[in-house]
Structures are given as C-alpha cells and as structure tokens.
Amino acid sequence: MNGNGQKTTAPDPYFPANGDPRYRVHRYELALEYRPGPNRLAGTARLSAIAGRAPLTEFALDLAEFKISRVLVNGRAPRYTHRGGKLRIRPAKPLPAGAAFTVEVHWAGNPQPVRSPWGGIGWEELTDGALVASQPIGAPSWYPCNDRPADKASYQISVNTPSAYTVAACGRLLTRTTKASTTTWVYEQPAPTSSYLVGLSIGMYQTVLLGDPGLGGVPQSAHVPAHLLPRFSRDFARQPAMMRLFEELFGPYPFGEYAVVVADEELDVPVEAQGLSLFGTNHVDGARGSERLIAHELAHQWFGNSVTIADWRHIWLNEGFAKYAEWLWSERSGGRTAHEHAAAAHRLLAARPQDLRLADPGRKLMFDDRLYQRGGLAVHAIRRALGDDAFFHMLRDWTTAHRHGVVTTAAFTTHVSLYAAEPMDPLLSAWLYAPTLPPLPPPPPALR
C-alpha cells in the first residue's frame, strides 16, 4: 500500500522487469564522484528500505552495467549477482516481513543511457558535462534503485566534480564545499520522489534567480550557459507569473523550490524532474517561442511529480494535465482560449487513427502525441461538464488529497464524480476508455 491506501504491489505492466514490489525504499543517500572528461562515475548508495508483507529471502535493485565493488545489507555482506540490469541480493538471513533494513552499494564505471523502445534514456554525456533525463526507465543508468514510479523516497545527493562545473540536482542545495580543484555539492529532496524524477545536470552554468519570491513565495532559480542569458531572460520572464497562476488554479506548489537548467546542447524535448526541469538550447530563442513548454514542465510539478501515477498505464494523468496547463496559461495570459486550443487539438486528432485508449495506451503509444492532445481534450471535456467553479475546486482537492502520493485513473474518475451534478460515467468512459474520438465539447457561454 502507498500513503493513499492504494495497492502498489504488482509489477508495472508496461515494464515488468523494472522494480521489485516486494519492498519499498523510503530514503536514498547517494555520494557520487564524476569526472566529465573520461565520463567516469563512482558512487556509493545507501538505501533505507522496508520489507513487504512476506519475509525477503532475496530482493532486487535496478542498476546498469557498472562494476560493483561492495554490497552490504544491514552492514553484512550478502550473496549477490549482477547481470541484465538487475542486482539480485540474497541477505545472509531472510529479512522479516515489515522489517526496516539498509542496503549499501559501491559502484563505478562509464555511465551511458539504458536502451529503451525510444532509444537511449537516462545518463547523457554532453559535449562538456552531463545530464539525466530518466523517464520512464532511465534511472538505473546512474544509480541503484527500485525503479518503479509508485516507490517514492526522499533523497540526499552529493556530487564531487571539478570546480569549474556547476551541479544542479533536485532539491535544496545544502552545502557546496571546495577542496583543491574539486567541489562537492550536496542537495536534499525531502519530498517523496520517484526514481525516474531524480534530476541531475553538470555543466558550465551561471546561476540566476527568477523574480523575487517574496514572503511565502517559491524560490525559482536557473542554471544557464552565460552566452544564452540575454535570450533566456526574455523567454523565462513570465515563469514567476505562471507559478502564481498555477498556485491559484492547482493549489500550493508542492516542493520547496523550483529550478530550471538550460543545457548547452539541443534536446529533443524538455524533461521534468522533481522540483527541476531541463531544457536545451533549442528551447531558448529570445522570442518566447517555447513558452508553452515552460508552462508544461512547471505543471508537471503538481501532475506527475507530487501526484504520481501508480504505474505507466496512467501516464495520461501526467501529460493530459500538463498539456491542459499550457492551454490555461495561454487563456490567462492573453493568448488563445483553452477552448480554441481544444478545437485545434480535436481537428488534429480527428484526422489520425482512432486506436488510442487514453487510460491504458500500451507501451508503444505511451508517448504518442495523440495521448498528450487527447489528454488535454479529456480534461477540457471534464471542465465543460462540471463548470469552472466545480472543475477548479475538483482540481485543487485532487492535488491536495494526493499530495506526494500515488494515483490511478480509477481514483481520478471516482474523485471527479464527487463534483458533478449529473452522472459522469458516460463522458469519462468515452474519453478515457473508448478509442474513437468523442465530439468536441460545446464552447463556454462567452464564446457562443
């Protein structure tokens, strides 16, 4: 069970080889040394975990093909094997059901992306530095973890690297200590975090603050190559206003701070991590050309990061709401209305194959553009059915009730029905479970 009382003990149906549901981790402490030139990573991980309902005679961690020099369970050496991305550990004595235990792993090697149906994901060596973009199964490319979205834990991440480099990681910077030619950066993320959302970037950056958060505001910072700062300052100028809007619409920002990184390299898409988002040089043009993506990644802090899916079948709960947040920002900042965006998305989808089930798209289609567009449309249809007052009340209650928790589509549909004057089942079934695209919802009265 997770904190919201939902069962999360089954393997992820899309990635059954990843993760181990027989135990859960509640804290990771990672101590890393990274040398950018040779792309050399050495690390020690200490995991604090709790056994599930059955005694553990063995358990597994996910870790790519590094050299392992030491493994300890409760301070004692277990038997272990490491192949095929799985570190299988057999403690000297079985761990009792419900028992707290610690695991320590020492590893080293040249990190590289793990193979996936979408190419290499996870650790990415850049021209000068590195970054991590792990969605959905890239976390084992750089540290040993229980790689399943439902297993959320707090993190402390320490990175030692040459002093010319800036290290950005999810959480709050606790200390930065320079000795000789290297600097150790220590970050703490106390909020429960899925392994795929543990962000890290190492590069030649200047760090700047975005706006003045004021009393009770969210501190926002950015790590940006110096030559991009003039363009960046224009492109991201409205992010503090986005933060204020999303707090109004979605409820309080769920973490202690928010940072963005612009890597000095082009990236296919920006990537969200916990309290941190990663962009590429191609997302900074000085003309606010990627502003919708800034809104999208910020919205993920509520939808996906704080409120996290139990398994990857429910990815629309992340992407549909982040897409709709783009439309809400447009609507509230003087651009096209959400309904105009919805109408454009509907036209787009009507011309494409009708073989996507939003609430369970299958692994092949989980990042299909249709999932994002139809997800946004489904949220819009719910808004039109409920009316604005009930819709935004429903949204804020959803993010509050499941803050730092784990959810499913079924939990969401049950939640939505509480705010409706009429039965919602026909609308929800049509948008979430039937492949055929339903009609465009009627426009709000002001647009008729």
Side-chain angles (χ1 to χ4, degrees), residues 50-402:
I50 298 172
R53 294 179 179 175
L56 282 182
T57 56
E58 68 145 33
F59 61 92
L61 290 166
D62 300 286
L63 181 64
E65 303 307 310
F66 291 97
K67 183 181 181 188
I68 294 176
S69 56
R70 191 180 197 194
V71 178
L72 297 173
V73 177
N74 291 336
R76 299 181 62 186
R79 297 165 78 176
Y80 68 88
T81 60
H82 181 221
R83 55 178 172 268
K86 277 288 185 187
L87 174 57
R88 299 186 188 278
I89 299 170
R90 184 173 288 270
K93 291 196 309 185
L95 301 166
F101 64 99
T102 61
V103 187
E104 195 173 299
V105 181
H106 298 238
W107 76 101
N110 298 104
Q112 55 190 1
V114 296
R115 289 193 296 273
S116 83
W118 307 278
I121 52 173
W123 188 280
E124 189 173 336
E125 183 185 5
L126 303 178
T127 305
D128 194 8
L131 65 78
V132 171
S134 291
Q135 187 175 353
I137 53 166
S141 68
W142 64 290
Y143 75 100
C145 56
N146 192 10
D147 191 30
R148 49 204 306 266
D151 195 21
K152 300 172 73 169
S154 67
Y155 280 79
Q156 185 174 102
I157 303 171
S158 166
V159 182
N160 177 274
T161 200
S163 296
Y165 292 86
T166 295
V167 174
C170 59
R172 182 164 64 94
L173 179 63
L174 295 184
T175 60
R176 186 176 68 193
T177 310
T178 298
K179 290 182 180 175
S181 61
T182 67
T183 298
T184 300
W185 305 67
V186 181
Y187 283 86
E188 175 74 32
Q189 176 54 272
T193 306
S194 297
S195 50
Y196 85 91
L197 289 169
V198 182
L200 178 68
S201 183
I202 300 167
M204 298 285 193
Y205 301 130
Q206 278 191 231
T207 301
V208 295
L209 300 179
L210 283 103
D212 177 2
L215 285 173
V218 180
Q220 298 174 62
S221 60
H223 309 283
V224 186
H227 68 95
L228 291 176
L229 275 171
R231 278 186 276 165
F232 171 87
S233 61
R234 175 167 170 76
D235 289 339
F236 282 74
R238 301 208 292 182
Q239 184 181 281
M242 275 178 205
M243 179 70 81
R244 290 191 293 273
L245 175 65
F246 290 172
E247 285 202 302
E248 174 197 328
L249 300 180
F250 308 150
Y253 179 74
F255 308 111
E257 57 287 299
Y258 182 59
V260 294
V261 172
V262 178
D264 203 2
E265 213 148 305
E266 292 197 0
L267 301 181
D268 289 343
V269 291
V271 181
E272 77 274 11
Q274 191 100 323
L276 178 73
S277 293
L278 305 169
F279 296 83
T281 54
N282 48 316
H283 303 124
V284 179
D285 61 6
R288 293 185 181 149
S290 295
E291 193 169 78
R292 72 171 185 86
L293 300 175
I294 297 170
H296 185 105
E297 302 311 325
L298 177 57
H300 270 311
Q301 303 306 321
W302 286 264
F303 303 104
N305 298 14
S306 174
V307 181
T308 302
I309 50 177
D311 63 60
W312 290 106
R313 288 175 297 183
H314 311 289
I315 187 172
W316 85 273
L317 286 170
N318 297 359
E319 301 302 346
F321 280 102
K323 172 57 71 175
Y324 200 64
E326 297 176 25
W327 301 352
L328 288 170
W329 169 250
S330 171
E331 179 172 277
R332 292 296 192 97
S333 65
R336 288 197 295 171
T337 66
H339 190 78
E340 288 168 333
H341 281 286
H346 197 275
R347 287 192 297 273
L348 195 72
L349 290 172
R352 295 187 181 178
Q354 304 295 308
D355 61 352
L356 176 82
R357 289 180 72 235
L358 190 61
D360 188 2
R363 193 169 81 168
K364 284 184 179 177
L365 297 181
M366 63 185 278
F367 295 117
D368 192 294
D369 181 59
R370 292 175 299 162
L371 180 130
Y372 294 66
Q373 302 289 349
R374 181 161 174 156
L377 268 167
V379 176
H380 187 65
I382 293 167
R383 178 186 177 186
R384 296 297 310 116
L386 294 181
D388 276 14
D389 287 350
F391 173 76
F392 288 110
H393 187 191
M394 178 276 293
L395 263 197
R396 287 189 292 271
D397 287 353
W398 173 249
T399 62
T400 300
H402 299 285

